[in-house]
Amino acid sequence: MSHKINKILIANRGEIAVRVMRACRDLGITSVGVYSECDKTAYHVRMSDEAVYIGNSPSTESYLVQDNIIRAAKETQADAIHPGYGFLAENPEFAQRCLDEGLIFIGPSPETIRLLGDKLQARALALKAGLSVIPGTDLDGRDSKAALQLVRDIGFPILVKAAAGGGGKGMRVVESEALFAEALASASSEAASSFGDGRVFVERYLKRPRHIEIQTLRDQHGNCVYLGERECSIQRRHQKVIEETPSPVVSPELRKRMGEAAVNIVRMSGYVGAGTVEFLVEKDGSFYFLEVNTRLQVEHPITEMVSGLDLVKEQISIAEGKKLTIRQEDVALRGHAIECRIYAEDPSEGFVPSTGRLKNYRPPSGPGVRVDSGVVIFSEIPIYYDPIIAKLVVWGQDRPEAISRARRALEEFRLSGVKTTIGFHRVIMDNKKFLDGDLSTRFLEEEFPDNNYQLFSDDLVERAAIAAALDTFVKERKITLGNGRRSRSTGSSWTTFHRRNNLRSFGGSR
Amino acid sequence: MSHKINKILIANRGEIAVRVMRACRDLGITSVGVYSECDKTAYHVRMSDEAVYIGNSPSTESYLVQDNIIRAAKETQADAIHPGYGFLAENPEFAQRCLDEGLIFIGPSPETIRLLGDKLQARALALKAGLSVIPGTDLDGRDSKAALQLVRDIGFPILVKAAAGGGGKGMRVVESEALFAEALASASSEAASSFGDGRVFVERYLKRPRHIEIQTLRDQHGNCVYLGERECSIQRRHQKVIEETPSPVVSPELRKRMGEAAVNIVRMSGYVGAGTVEFLVEKDGSFYFLEVNTRLQVEHPITEMVSGLDLVKEQISIAEGKKLTIRQEDVALRGHAIECRIYAEDPSEGFVPSTGRLKNYRPPSGPGVRVDSGVVIFSEIPIYYDPIIAKLVVWGQDRPEAISRARRALEEFRLSGVKTTIGFHRVIMDNKKFLDGDLSTRFLEEEFPDNNYQLFSDDLVERAAIAAALDTFVKERKITLGNGRRSRSTGSSWTTFHRRNNLRSFGGSR
Amino acid sequence: MPRYHVVVDGKEFDVEVNYRSGQYEVSVNGRPLRVQSHRLGESRSLLLVDNQSLEVDVRINGDGGKIVFMKGMEMSVSVEDYNLAQLRKIAGIHSGPLVEATFRAPMPGLVIDVRVQPGQKVKRGEPLLVIEAMKMENIIKAKGDAIVKATHVRGGQSVEKGDVLLEFE
Amino acid sequence: MPRYHVVVDGKEFDVEVNYRSGQYEVSVNGRPLRVQSHRLGESRSLLLVDNQSLEVDVRINGDGGKIVFMKGMEMSVSVEDYNLAQLRKIAGIHSGPLVEATFRAPMPGLVIDVRVQPGQKVKRGEPLLVIEAMKMENIIKAKGDAIVKATHVRGGQSVEKGDVLLEFE
């Protein structure tokens, strides 16, 4: 059954709201943005066709308030809701609420979200679908002694994980028995406060695995394809920092095996829409099911760059009940794509969030460069939400070309006012292990222990000294500088050129 | 013989200088920009690694002064010069000068430039290479009577063209005998003043041809490929406005025939580098050789979007003496790309140039969108040079997707301070003939006689009225508006929503 | 309540504006609209009209009117007091931009050719002058039928934007 | 000629600056450089050092120093009079940013946990506090060895950027 969507409310903010609005524009669908108090003039509000206020700045009073979102959809007569990622994206109650209100929820069914959102159930399903899982166990209802015994059987180090949720919340690596009890308690309490569900389970902790995920699409008619993998091993605090596709280690044969495994679990869960099946992959190519993310991923653009597909348009088309127009044999992946997540964080201070106003903001452009921004010049970065401000996505014919373009684009960024991870990405693009494609989820802690990295070249440091000294000089002397338009007072290089010898001698006596 | 290039001086300005600098960055090559007086703080200067002043604002005192360019290259120890397009790009003396000074000129040899730059010689060569040319003749040295007789044999309407140069200069369409003498004189004088060569020739004027060109690459070792076509029929005053690839009418078979014809003439002229062979194509698929452009074309990015190649990198690689890494059978063209040239011109005033300062400038982004800009926010658009300020390049899986993305991107542009062709492009993207792919070089004059087109929807016109009235109101009342950061005075939509009925009645009495 | 006569793109609007307890009350041709306007810096603002979002940049035009930039395009807008405009209409005085008796240079450039002479009748669309600017020859055509009164430039002369080139009777 | 002691990223520079007939004369650690600086608006400028082009944005830092933005990155820079800096060095007074005896909130947020107590010795890298901001728990670690003198916050408390959280002896 096919139902044309005419207006979509995007229950999100920032770059992903803007991203979804662009797909709406391409499809001739009216987009409705929602905004909290501090987002009144946010970029996603400016980009939306219509915008509705939904409450105070804290997300618990706005973007997470189902009533307000539903009311905004009703007021604007939207016929569908796109949840983006985060906020209500993987909330089965919200998905159900949309259905009850006669709204199309752009994502899988509440049942599927619930099933796959519970890591224990998802794990059981994966086993049924013939996938390998990491040795581990549920700890529900066990006393601490029984739990410890189960954990001993698995062997340390182990990983404690929240049964609900994701994104590193409620996750702890435990190296030895002595630390187990405390880690269990803190993971459980963090899980309870974050997801309202304190259940945790434990798994063997793989030492240096890669995090590789498969993008899938499945329509309401049961047609399903996989669109290659994304290597997301570069993480800190279980948050992805850089993603790329193809993975430097996935052969066509491994891609096929992982893709088919992903399609299996997606089919068995009754999944409809765009989904991502995450795996941990070991050196020998063995891969273990991790979880299914029942939403659009932050890093979806790299798959778009190599596949030529627009994943948000595919999501909408599937939600309309249309059949996939692509079959597995049509999937053609070209070149190499890399995403660098630009966070408003201070890498030199352990990535603490950096808030403030963007006094300058000019993203890079040119061949092979796409920037999905959630901000524009003069945007305020509020404290209330995820600190991602933009995603730099580059494409190249091959990995070296993609990396060289990432370098170029990172240096081309002009941004003042908040600290960001741009310089940090620039350092990674020169890291030998990264260049060799020698990655694991421990890459960052191994390569940059204590956040120790050289951000600035000697040349750049000297330039900063000159710029700051000139600034002081000008302010002290109140010299009016030409703005390049009218001033002819700063002279030409030709004259400077001929004056060079004089200059040499003026400072040469020291 | 291979010679690694380490530093390239870009003898150009604006978007093409920026474009070449980006390729240099990707290759790890140092770029040297040059700038005139009014370009001191131009974007291309900011993007260059090094920058050298080369003279006063008029291009005849800066970008066209060979001595200054060569001197800048020597001063900065550049080993190659990239001429971009326009200025010295197709000047054989300059190419020769570079060689004499031991600099690599990134482009074909002076002999090739000279040969192909002379339309009469190029025409003769095309005939020798087995290409069809439009019936026509040289008028050199004939008296007006003899010339008129030759023209009668061809049949009116005829086209008078300068033997040298291009870009519509010295070109006249003559509908009847009575107008011939005057057109001949004015074309010849314009050609003389523009190119220092008053020779003209005449051709049969094709009524509604398409302008379709083939991109070629040929290395120093004789390897040559063609990279599909570009349809450039949408022109005004013989200047391209919108280009796309593939052409809506070129079949794989026609592409192969045109491509092979292009390769033939490129080979016979001894061409080295990236070149473009232009054809006029009639409804029945017959195609006539027009000319070879011995430089990078403005519209090269659309070929990059579908081929995945970086044409500037290919140019540099060829100039280094490297062999092409791609063979004809490897050329895979994917999807559809469209370029809209954004000129600083007023379409409602017959496209007169619009100069001034960009008070706001925020180019679009997102999936399938690339913008090659020559400007940034606060840039000054000087009077002295080509009015192109940016090129919007969009890609889609097919033509409809590319067009929908062009629409979206055009509406996403934020630009204040000068008039541009953005709105004009937006109109074309809704034109029925354009949507049908029913194009010819007369498209614009047939579809928009007297520059008559509806730029603004009724809704948008009403919004402008409201915005202007509010602006007047605020200035008169000196109301301080919140900037969205601190102000809580503008209320929320929820309160507004509940006040709706009151509002309805307040104005309902009129 | 302030009321304005607004002309955009040849279309006339009767716009009433009020500002009460932090909220605009706007009615256009008698139709009330919910309007919010948030400043984005300098002359730019985000306009929400019945929830519909639009970024606008309102600047002063050279002719005393305003220029509104939206969606990459610009519109010339004139705003005047509604009652004054009504009075003017009754008095038969032309409202909106006047048809200029003087023709000014639309851009700086070099006059290549002057195609008309004083006393000459010209029709709409007939070429008046050729000006070279930004490397292009621009043929300036008559915007309506008129009689040339005087020419103030000749071929080869440089002109600045706004210089008087021709006068019409 | 004005002479400055500049510290960037732990590196010290002796920078002399003069402005003569529209031209900067700059020497860095005695090495003369050809420098041009063109304003790009507000605090941004285009710097040409021996032809090398760089866009910089120099702003005031909270600590009284400057912050220089270049190539998408930022550097903290302190600039002081060269002679003053020399005198201070002779007098043995620490130049450059002081190691703070008070630890201030690096961002606004919610204090989740305070991991230290007054009198406690902490080593570099040891966790001091956990602050939640932007949906992330951030563990604030000691930047060096120190003894905690006082704690001014406790778990559950909201803090603004710059609030004093801890004092060291």
Side-chain angles (χ1 to χ4, degrees):
Chain A
M1 192 194 66
S2 170
H3 177 292
K4 171 83 185 87
I5 293 174
N6 295 307
K7 194 185 269 195
I8 297 176
L9 181 137
I10 295 113
N12 217 305
R13 67 180 299 284
E15 71 83 18
I16 194 61
V18 171
R19 167 68 189 90
V20 175
M21 286 167 191
R22 285 186 169 127
C24 290
R25 283 269 161 83
D26 286 356
L27 290 166
I29 291 172
T30 303
S31 64
V32 180
V34 293
Y35 60 98
S36 70
E37 190 64 29
C38 68
D39 274 346
K40 266 180 185 169
T41 60
Y43 187 31
H44 76 278
V45 181
R46 306 189 202 179
M47 281 287 289
S48 61
D49 292 323
E50 301 178 28
V52 182
Y53 176 85
I54 49 157
N56 290 324
S57 301
S59 51
T60 48
E61 299 173 36
S62 50
Y63 298 104
L64 287 171
V65 182
Q66 300 188 21
D67 279 351
N68 293 7
I69 304 280
I70 298 288
R71 183 155 54 154
K74 294 284 177 187
E75 177 187 340
T76 54
Q77 297 177 294
D79 40 21
I81 291 186
H82 193 299
Y85 55 72
F87 294 135
L88 300 168
E90 289 170 289
N91 182 320
E93 287 75 33
F94 181 65
Q96 185 61 55
R97 179 80 192 275
C98 290
L99 299 190
D100 295 345
E101 300 278 356
L103 294 160
I104 296 173
F105 177 81
I106 299 176
S109 71
E111 295 73 30
T112 305
I113 297 175
R114 192 169 284 118
L115 170 67
L116 295 172
D118 185 309
K119 291 192 183 177
L120 299 177
Q121 288 190 52
R123 194 180 154 92
L125 185 72
L127 283 169
K128 228 165 87 183
L131 277 62
S132 304
V133 298
I134 300 168
T137 182
D138 180 4
L139 292 180
D140 215 23
R142 323 255 180 188
D143 63 23
S144 58
K145 264 200 184 162
L148 186 58
Q149 190 49 53
L150 284 169
V151 166
R152 275 193 193 125
D153 294 345
I154 295 168
F156 284 91
I158 59 139
L159 186 66
V160 182
K161 285 165 105 174
K169 283 252 174 185
M171 208 182 269
R172 297 285 185 281
V173 177
V174 188
E175 298 286 345
S176 67
E177 275 190 37
L179 302 164
F180 177 65
E182 194 205 325
L184 189 64
S186 77
S188 178
S189 88
E190 192 172 314
S193 75
S194 298
F195 314 114
D197 178 354
R199 287 178 307 143
V200 294
F201 69 106
V202 295
E203 278 178 358
R204 186 197 296 158
Y205 178 63
L206 303 183
K207 268 288 189 182
R208 302 186 76 248
R210 288 170 180 260
H211 176 122
I212 298 178
E213 60 190 27
I214 300 285
Q215 175 71 53
T216 59
L217 290 177
R218 185 160 180 265
D219 66 24
Q220 297 180 16
H221 313 279
N223 304 302
C224 189
V225 296
Y226 62 91
L227 303 174
E229 78 283 3
R230 293 185 289 257
E231 158 107 44
C232 311
S233 298
I234 301 184
Q235 307 182 349
R236 56 177 180 74
R237 299 191 282 192
H238 303 282
Q239 287 264 7
K240 295 163 189 166
V241 175
I242 293 176
E243 304 93 350
E244 64 182 303
T245 181
S247 161
V249 293
V250 172
S251 64
E253 184 272 331
L254 180 56
R255 182 170 302 123
K256 188 161 184 287
R257 283 201 295 132
M258 291 179 74
E260 286 170 359
V263 165
N264 272 351
I265 190 162
V266 158
R267 277 191 203 283
M268 285 190 61
S269 65
Y271 200 103
V272 169
T276 296
V277 185
E278 296 189 332
F279 297 97
L280 289 182
V281 181
E282 293 211 291
K283 270 228 155 69
D284 63 1
S286 53
F287 55 93
Y288 300 98
F289 170 77
L290 206 56
E291 60 178 322
V292 182
N293 290 312
T294 59
R295 55 168 156 86
L296 192 67
Q297 299 279 89
V298 176
E299 60 271 23
H300 75 276
I302 58 174
T303 298
E304 296 184 326
M305 298 294 260
V306 299
S307 71
L309 293 170
D310 183 321
L311 293 182
V312 181
K313 284 170 71 169
E314 295 295 331
Q315 286 188 300
I316 295 170
S317 169
I318 291 170
E320 287 183 324
K322 288 185 189 147
K323 285 189 180 170
L324 286 183
T325 55
I326 190 168
R327 291 159 306 172
Q328 192 61 50
E329 59 267 34
D330 303 328
V331 174
L333 306 174
R334 175 155 99 171
H336 198 98
I338 299 175
E339 174 180 277
C340 296
R341 298 189 186 188
I342 313 293
Y343 290 105
E345 293 179 342
D346 186 351
S348 65
E349 295 276 352
F351 295 96
V352 297
S354 174
T355 59
R357 196 176 172 77
L358 287 178
K359 285 159 190 149
N360 190 18
Y361 182 75
R362 204 172 77 214
S365 186
V369 174
R370 161 180 166 188
V371 180
D372 279 22
S373 282
V375 297
V376 291
I377 192 166
F378 305 137
S379 280
E380 195 77 27
I381 314 299
I383 188 209
Y384 303 99
Y385 319 111
D386 190 282
I388 197 165
I389 56 174
K391 301 182 313 200
L392 168 65
V393 188
V394 294
W395 180 91
Q397 290 184 79
D398 49 28
R399 193 168 189 267
E401 184 171 74
I403 293 172
S404 69
R405 284 173 168 173
R407 273 198 204 105
R408 181 238 301 168
L410 289 163
E411 293 189 1
E412 220 177 270
F413 250 107
R414 293 293 172 272
L415 186 150
S416 321
V418 300
K419 306 217 169 192
T420 73
T421 51
I422 292 171
F424 177 68
H425 286 296
R426 183 65 192 79
V427 169
I428 293 174
M429 293 300 136
D430 281 344
N431 176 278
K432 184 167 182 315
K433 279 206 170 170
F434 176 74
L435 295 176
D436 291 345
D438 181 7
L439 305 176
S440 83
T441 55
R442 308 197 62 180
F443 172 81
L444 285 187
E445 53 191 288
E446 286 177 1
E447 289 298 299
F448 305 100
D450 304 317
N451 295 318
N452 194 6
Y453 42 86
Q454 177 65 33
L455 271 184
F456 312 112
S457 69
D458 287 349
D459 262 17
L460 216 55
V461 169
E462 190 187 271
R463 291 291 182 282
I466 294 171
L470 278 181
D471 187 66
T472 305
F473 177 83
V474 169
K475 281 179 181 147
E476 282 173 2
R477 310 278 146 154
K478 297 200 174 56
I479 289 175
T480 310
L481 293 177
N483 56 7
R485 248 201 315 173
R486 285 176 205 133
S487 156
R488 290 175 204 275
S489 63
T490 41
S492 74
S493 308
W494 291 126
T495 49
T496 321
F497 184 59
H498 297 306
R499 236 188 255 151
R500 207 180 204 171
N501 292 329
N502 296 355
L503 277 172
R504 280 263 157 74
S505 58
F506 109 84
S509 59
R510 288 193 68 259
Chain B
M1 193 193 66
S2 172
H3 177 292
K4 172 83 185 84
I5 294 175
N6 295 306
K7 195 185 268 194
I8 297 177
L9 181 137
I10 295 113
N12 217 304
R13 67 180 300 283
E15 69 85 18
I16 194 62
V18 171
R19 167 67 189 92
V20 175
M21 285 166 192
R22 286 187 170 126
C24 290
R25 282 271 161 84
D26 287 355
L27 291 166
I29 291 172
T30 304
S31 65
V32 180
V34 292
Y35 61 99
S36 70
E37 190 63 31
C38 68
D39 275 346
K40 266 181 186 168
T41 61
Y43 187 31
H44 75 279
V45 181
R46 305 190 203 178
M47 281 287 289
S48 60
D49 293 321
E50 301 178 28
V52 182
Y53 176 86
I54 50 157
N56 290 323
S57 301
S59 51
T60 48
E61 298 174 36
S62 50
Y63 298 104
L64 287 170
V65 182
Q66 300 188 21
D67 280 350
N68 292 7
I69 304 280
I70 298 288
R71 183 155 52 157
K74 294 285 178 185
E75 179 187 340
T76 54
Q77 298 177 293
D79 40 21
I81 290 185
H82 194 299
Y85 55 71
F87 293 138
L88 299 168
E90 290 171 289
N91 183 320
E93 286 76 33
F94 181 65
Q96 184 61 55
R97 180 79 193 274
C98 290
L99 299 190
D100 295 346
E101 299 278 355
L103 294 160
I104 296 174
F105 177 82
I106 299 175
S109 70
E111 296 73 30
T112 305
I113 298 174
R114 191 169 285 117
L115 170 67
L116 295 171
D118 186 310
K119 292 192 182 177
L120 300 177
Q121 287 189 53
R123 193 180 154 90
L125 185 72
L127 284 170
K128 231 164 86 183
L131 278 62
S132 303
V133 299
I134 300 166
T137 182
D138 180 3
L139 292 179
D140 215 25
R142 323 257 179 186
D143 64 23
S144 58
K145 264 199 183 159
L148 186 57
Q149 190 49 53
L150 284 168
V151 167
R152 275 189 194 130
D153 295 345
I154 295 168
F156 284 92
I158 59 139
L159 186 67
V160 183
K161 284 166 105 174
K169 284 252 174 185
M171 209 184 270
R172 297 285 185 282
V173 178
V174 188
E175 298 286 344
S176 67
E177 275 192 37
L179 301 165
F180 177 65
E182 194 205 326
L184 188 65
S186 76
S188 177
S189 88
E190 192 171 314
S193 76
S194 297
F195 314 114
D197 177 354
R199 287 178 307 142
V200 294
F201 69 106
V202 296
E203 278 178 0
R204 187 197 295 158
Y205 178 64
L206 304 182
K207 269 288 189 184
R208 301 186 76 250
R210 287 168 181 262
H211 176 122
I212 298 176
E213 60 190 27
I214 301 285
Q215 176 70 53
T216 59
L217 290 177
R218 185 161 181 264
D219 67 22
Q220 296 181 17
H221 314 279
N223 303 302
C224 190
V225 296
Y226 62 91
L227 303 174
E229 77 281 7
R230 291 186 289 257
E231 159 108 44
C232 311
S233 297
I234 302 184
Q235 306 183 349
R236 57 177 180 72
R237 299 190 285 192
H238 304 283
Q239 288 263 8
K240 295 163 191 167
V241 175
I242 293 176
E243 305 93 350
E244 63 182 302
T245 183
S247 162
V249 294
V250 172
S251 64
E253 183 272 331
L254 179 57
R255 181 170 303 122
K256 188 161 185 287
R257 282 201 295 131
M258 290 179 74
E260 286 170 357
V263 165
N264 270 351
I265 189 162
V266 158
R267 277 191 203 284
M268 284 190 62
S269 66
Y271 200 101
V272 168
T276 296
V277 185
E278 297 189 330
F279 296 97
L280 289 181
V281 181
E282 293 211 289
K283 270 227 155 69
D284 61 2
S286 53
F287 57 93
Y288 300 98
F289 170 78
L290 207 55
E291 60 178 322
V292 181
N293 290 313
T294 58
R295 54 166 156 88
L296 192 66
Q297 299 279 88
V298 175
E299 60 271 23
H300 74 276
I302 57 174
T303 298
E304 296 183 326
M305 297 293 259
V306 298
S307 70
L309 293 170
D310 182 321
L311 293 181
V312 180
K313 284 170 71 169
E314 295 294 333
Q315 285 188 301
I316 294 170
S317 168
I318 291 171
E320 288 184 324
K322 290 186 188 145
K323 285 187 180 173
L324 287 181
T325 54
I326 190 168
R327 291 159 306 173
Q328 192 60 49
E329 57 267 35
D330 303 326
V331 175
L333 305 174
R334 173 154 99 171
H336 198 98
I338 300 176
E339 173 180 277
C340 297
R341 299 190 187 187
I342 314 293
Y343 290 105
E345 291 180 341
D346 186 352
S348 65
E349 294 276 352
F351 295 95
V352 298
S354 175
T355 59
R357 195 174 174 77
L358 286 178
K359 284 157 191 151
N360 189 18
Y361 182 75
R362 203 173 76 214
S365 186
V369 174
R370 162 179 166 187
V371 180
D372 279 22
S373 282
V375 297
V376 290
I377 193 165
F378 306 137
S379 279
E380 194 79 26
I381 314 297
I383 187 212
Y384 303 99
Y385 318 110
D386 191 282
I388 197 164
I389 56 174
K391 301 182 314 200
L392 168 66
V393 188
V394 293
W395 180 92
Q397 289 184 81
D398 50 25
R399 193 169 188 267
E401 184 170 74
I403 292 173
S404 69
R405 285 175 168 174
R407 274 197 203 104
R408 180 239 299 171
L410 289 163
E411 294 189 1
E412 219 177 272
F413 250 108
R414 294 292 172 272
L415 186 151
S416 320
V418 300
K419 306 216 171 193
T420 73
T421 52
I422 292 171
F424 177 69
H425 286 296
R426 183 65 193 79
V427 169
I428 293 175
M429 293 300 135
D430 282 343
N431 176 278
K432 186 170 180 311
K433 279 206 169 170
F434 175 74
L435 294 177
D436 291 344
D438 181 6
L439 306 175
S440 82
T441 55
R442 308 196 63 178
F443 172 82
L444 286 186
E445 55 190 286
E446 287 176 0
E447 290 298 298
F448 306 100
D450 304 318
N451 295 318
N452 194 7
Y453 42 89
Q454 178 64 34
L455 269 185
F456 311 113
S457 71
D458 287 350
D459 263 16
L460 215 56
V461 169
E462 192 188 270
R463 291 291 181 283
I466 294 170
L470 278 182
D471 187 66
T472 304
F473 177 82
V474 169
K475 280 181 182 147
E476 281 173 3
R477 311 275 145 155
K478 297 200 174 52
I479 289 175
T480 308
L481 294 177
N483 58 6
R485 250 201 312 171
R486 284 176 206 135
S487 157
R488 292 176 202 273
S489 63
T490 42
S492 76
S493 299
W494 291 125
T495 49
T496 321
F497 184 61
H498 298 304
R499 235 187 256 152
R500 206 180 205 171
N501 292 330
N502 298 355
L503 277 172
R504 278 265 157 74
S505 59
F506 109 87
S509 60
R510 289 196 63 259
Chain C
M1 185 180 304
R3 189 168 173 186
Y4 303 100
H5 178 71
V6 186
V7 184
V8 194
D9 205 27
K11 293 182 189 73
E12 299 182 61
F13 296 88
D14 168 11
V15 184
E16 289 174 280
V17 182
N18 210 355
Y19 185 70
R20 199 151 47 188
S21 42
Q23 180 73 32
Y24 288 101
E25 295 171 350
V26 175
S27 106
V28 177
N29 297 338
R31 189 165 44 92
L33 296 167
R34 295 183 293 146
V35 175
Q36 293 179 64
S37 174
H38 301 296
R39 272 201 70 192
L40 299 175
E42 221 191 334
S43 55
R44 292 179 302 115
S45 47
L46 175 63
L47 204 63
L48 290 169
V49 179
D50 279 346
N51 287 337
Q52 288 177 36
S53 170
L54 189 69
E55 259 184 273
V56 295
D57 189 349
V58 184
R59 293 177 179 270
I60 304 299
N61 205 347
D63 63 3
K66 290 175 196 292
I67 191 157
V68 180
F69 292 89
M70 322 184 284
K71 296 196 174 193
M73 297 181 283
E74 63 288 308
M75 279 186 229
S76 297
V77 184
S78 78
V79 182
E80 63 182 329
D81 181 81
Y82 182 81
N83 294 322
L84 269 181
Q86 292 306 105
L87 278 173
R88 270 234 312 252
K89 274 190 185 170
I90 293 163
I93 301 169
H94 187 93
S95 74
L98 293 168
V99 176
E100 302 219 38
T102 53
F103 180 76
R104 291 169 186 276
M107 65 212 160
L110 180 72
V111 176
I112 299 288
D113 194 14
V114 180
R115 298 270 177 94
V116 292
Q117 294 187 324
Q120 187 177 334
K121 284 185 190 174
V122 291
K123 289 199 172 163
R124 184 167 185 282
E126 213 170 295
L128 301 172
L129 305 121
V130 183
I131 298 182
E132 185 177 298
M134 284 173 153
K135 313 267 100 193
M136 293 279 286
E137 289 188 10
N138 302 281
I139 299 171
I140 311 291
K141 294 175 177 176
K143 284 185 198 174
D145 300 354
I147 298 171
V148 177
K149 191 170 151 192
T151 60
H152 293 285
V153 286
R154 45 174 207 288
Q157 191 176 333
S158 280
V159 292
E160 289 301 310
K161 185 173 177 175
D163 282 359
V164 175
L165 306 180
L166 304 173
E167 282 181 88
F168 298 107
E169 282 183 15
Chain D
M1 185 181 303
R3 189 167 172 185
Y4 303 100
H5 177 72
V6 186
V7 183
V8 194
D9 205 25
K11 292 182 190 76
E12 300 183 59
F13 296 88
D14 168 12
V15 185
E16 289 175 280
V17 182
N18 211 355
Y19 186 68
R20 199 150 48 188
S21 42
Q23 180 71 31
Y24 287 101
E25 294 172 351
V26 175
S27 105
V28 178
N29 298 339
R31 189 166 44 92
L33 296 166
R34 295 182 295 146
V35 175
Q36 293 179 65
S37 174
H38 302 296
R39 273 201 68 192
L40 299 174
E42 220 189 332
S43 55
R44 293 179 302 115
S45 48
L46 174 63
L47 204 63
L48 290 169
V49 179
D50 279 345
N51 288 335
Q52 289 179 35
S53 169
L54 188 70
E55 260 183 272
V56 296
D57 190 348
V58 184
R59 294 178 178 269
I60 303 300
N61 205 347
D63 63 3
K66 291 174 195 290
I67 192 157
V68 180
F69 292 89
M70 323 184 281
K71 296 197 172 193
M73 298 181 282
E74 62 288 309
M75 278 184 231
S76 297
V77 184
S78 78
V79 182
E80 64 181 328
D81 181 80
Y82 182 81
N83 294 322
L84 271 179
Q86 291 307 105
L87 278 173
R88 269 233 313 255
K89 274 191 187 172
I90 292 162
I93 302 168
H94 188 92
S95 73
L98 293 169
V99 174
E100 302 221 37
T102 53
F103 180 78
R104 291 168 186 277
M107 64 212 161
L110 180 72
V111 175
I112 299 289
D113 193 14
V114 179
R115 299 269 177 93
V116 291
Q117 294 187 324
Q120 187 176 332
K121 283 185 190 174
V122 292
K123 290 200 171 163
R124 184 167 187 282
E126 215 171 295
L128 302 173
L129 305 122
V130 183
I131 299 182
E132 184 177 298
M134 283 172 152
K135 312 267 105 196
M136 293 279 284
E137 288 187 10
N138 302 281
I139 299 171
I140 310 293
K141 294 175 177 173
K143 283 185 200 172
D145 301 352
I147 298 172
V148 178
K149 189 170 150 192
T151 60
H152 294 284
V153 286
R154 43 174 210 288
Q157 191 177 334
S158 279
V159 292
E160 291 300 311
K161 186 174 175 173
D163 282 358
V164 175
L165 307 182
L166 303 174
E167 282 181 88
F168 298 107
E169 280 181 18

